[in-house]
Amino acid sequence: LSNETPYGVTSFVRTAEALGLTKPTVTQNAYNLLVRNDFESGMQETCAPINCDVGLLAYSPLAGGALTGKYMDAADPGLEHARLHKYVGFMHRYIAPPAVEAVRRYMEVARSFELPLEVVSLAWVYSRPFVTSTLIGATTTNQLRNNIKALNLPMNEEMTRMLNAAYAKGMDPTRGVFEIRDPYREYVDPSKLPWGAKDQDVDPELDILINQRLSKL
């Protein structure tokens, strides 16, 4: 399954059981230090072994790269071709002001342990007992190296406590509607953005597919 809700997972599992079919074993949902409340507040109970027994394949464990800290200065000349600037409006919520402030808090935690933020962010996801695996994306050798380092980083009690304290200061920093402001473009015509002028917590690729199908009607 993908991008499912507690009701959706339960419905799929119960239907499969009723029909004597193989039930879903994993759901692919976003899960990272910026987006954790959705899963932890409902899906975790649903997916628990004692209930639906469905694993989590966490995608965007680095929030589109935001949890590397590289978007702290959005106008950095080296970021002109970075993913969140290359596709204007795509996952803009990860670099909107509330998310940037949350990343800043997590960076302070990582610095206190003298570790890169991306390694800490990935290690935290890997340490969650309900995470089966993650979807990662590496475009450089160094990025791949940090992904591998995270597998070997023990998430101790102190680090977990500090990350949770940072999280508690803003539990849903990506929730809301944020105006798209890109430092590399003075103005972007909203009609040319397939996912709209504002970034809401939706799947932009799904919006594109829906719009393409509607255009044929």
Side-chain angles (χ1 to χ4, degrees):
L1 305 175
S2 182
N3 290 329
E4 266 303 343
T5 63
Y7 176 79
V9 170
T10 302
S11 296
F12 273 108
V13 170
R14 297 295 177 249
T15 300
E17 290 173 344
L19 297 177
L21 302 174
T22 302
K23 74 177 185 67
T25 57
V26 69
T27 183
Q28 175 183 296
N29 281 40
Y31 187 72
N32 54 60
L33 282 170
L34 296 179
V35 180
R36 54 180 285 193
N37 195 42
D38 275 354
F39 193 89
E40 294 178 0
S41 63
M43 285 287 282
Q44 183 176 352
E45 179 185 20
T46 300
C47 294
I50 197 173
N51 294 320
C52 290
D53 192 19
V54 173
L56 170 62
L57 176 59
Y59 72 80
S60 292
L62 290 179
L67 282 166
T68 66
K70 68 181 181 181
Y71 290 104
M72 298 307 289
D73 179 8
D76 184 337
L79 294 178
E80 184 174 1
H81 300 293
R83 186 193 321 180
L84 300 190
H85 290 314
K86 186 176 181 181
Y87 303 102
V88 181
F90 180 56
M91 295 196 295
H92 187 76
R93 60 190 179 277
Y94 287 147
I95 55 175
V100 170
E101 286 305 309
V103 171
R104 198 183 310 279
R105 292 193 295 270
Y106 291 129
M107 287 182 71
E108 292 174 359
V109 175
R111 286 196 193 103
S112 69
F113 290 93
E114 298 183 350
L115 289 167
L117 176 58
E118 58 265 38
V119 173
V120 171
S121 299
L122 287 169
W124 178 82
V125 173
Y126 295 147
S127 72
R128 301 302 88 190
F130 46 78
V131 171
T132 302
S133 188
T134 62
L135 290 176
I136 60 172
T139 55
T140 68
T141 304
N142 187 57
Q143 289 176 356
L144 180 59
R145 186 178 294 112
N146 282 336
N147 274 277
I148 295 171
K149 283 181 181 178
L151 289 171
N152 300 307
L153 175 65
M155 184 59 54
N156 61 38
E157 185 176 336
E158 182 183 9
M159 191 180 296
T160 299
R161 178 185 60 77
M162 294 175 68
L163 289 172
N164 284 337
Y167 165 68
K169 294 179 180 179
M171 296 177 64
D172 276 316
T174 66
R175 284 293 187 188
V177 179
F178 308 109
E179 289 189 8
I180 293 175
R181 298 183 181 278
D182 193 288
Y184 297 101
R185 294 163 179 81
E186 292 184 1
Y187 173 75
V188 177
D189 184 350
S191 67
K192 294 180 181 179
L193 298 179
W195 37 76
K198 296 179 181 294
D199 177 42
Q200 301 184 48
D201 197 10
V202 296
D203 185 343
E205 285 89 352
L206 182 59
D207 282 353
I208 295 173
L209 181 61
I210 292 172
N211 289 333
Q212 287 175 341
R213 291 179 177 175
L214 288 177
S215 67
K216 297 177 182 179
L217 297 179

